[in-house]
Amino acid sequence: MESVNAQAKITGKGQVQLPAVIRKRLGAEVGDFLVFKSTENGHVLLELRKQKRLTKLAGALKATQPFPGVEAEEEETRRLWTEARQHKA
């Protein structure tokens, strides 16, 4: 694999924006983690840890009840939210 060179500036808050060419090379996406490891000789190694996507977990658990449908779920969520807000007032 051909090496890629890129640079980024450290902001006043100590933040660094990962250059697009590096993000693409790593396959980094929003929500992923970067792990920085410093070596004894002053180099910094960068490791990408992919965030597990919720969609990858679809079907991982067996359903104990049939799904009532999106509309019924939304209605129940609204009811529970309204009920919780009324108890806080």
Side-chain angles (χ1 to χ4, degrees):
M1 181 182 291
E2 185 180 324
S3 68
V4 175
N5 293 321
Q7 64 181 18
K9 186 176 182 179
I10 300 172
T11 69
K13 293 183 178 181
Q15 298 171 333
V16 175
Q17 183 174 358
L18 196 60
V21 66
I22 301 297
R23 285 194 314 270
K24 288 175 186 173
R25 173 65 66 94
L26 293 174
E29 300 173 304
V30 172
D32 290 343
F33 293 92
L34 295 175
V35 178
F36 299 88
K37 297 178 182 178
S38 62
T39 65
E40 290 181 11
N41 63 3
H43 291 109
V44 175
L45 302 174
L46 181 65
E47 178 185 334
L48 174 67
R49 291 198 182 154
K50 299 293 286 176
Q51 177 71 13
K52 292 187 171 134
R53 307 287 181 231
L54 192 55
T55 54
K56 297 288 185 189
L57 299 175
L61 300 175
K62 290 188 177 189
T64 58
Q65 301 175 10
F67 181 63
V70 173
E71 292 82 12
E73 284 291 311
E74 287 177 346
E75 186 176 317
E76 179 65 6
T77 300
R78 283 189 195 95
R79 185 189 70 73
L80 291 171
W81 185 85
T82 302
E83 186 178 294
R85 298 294 293 172
Q86 288 173 345
H87 289 297
K88 286 185 177 182

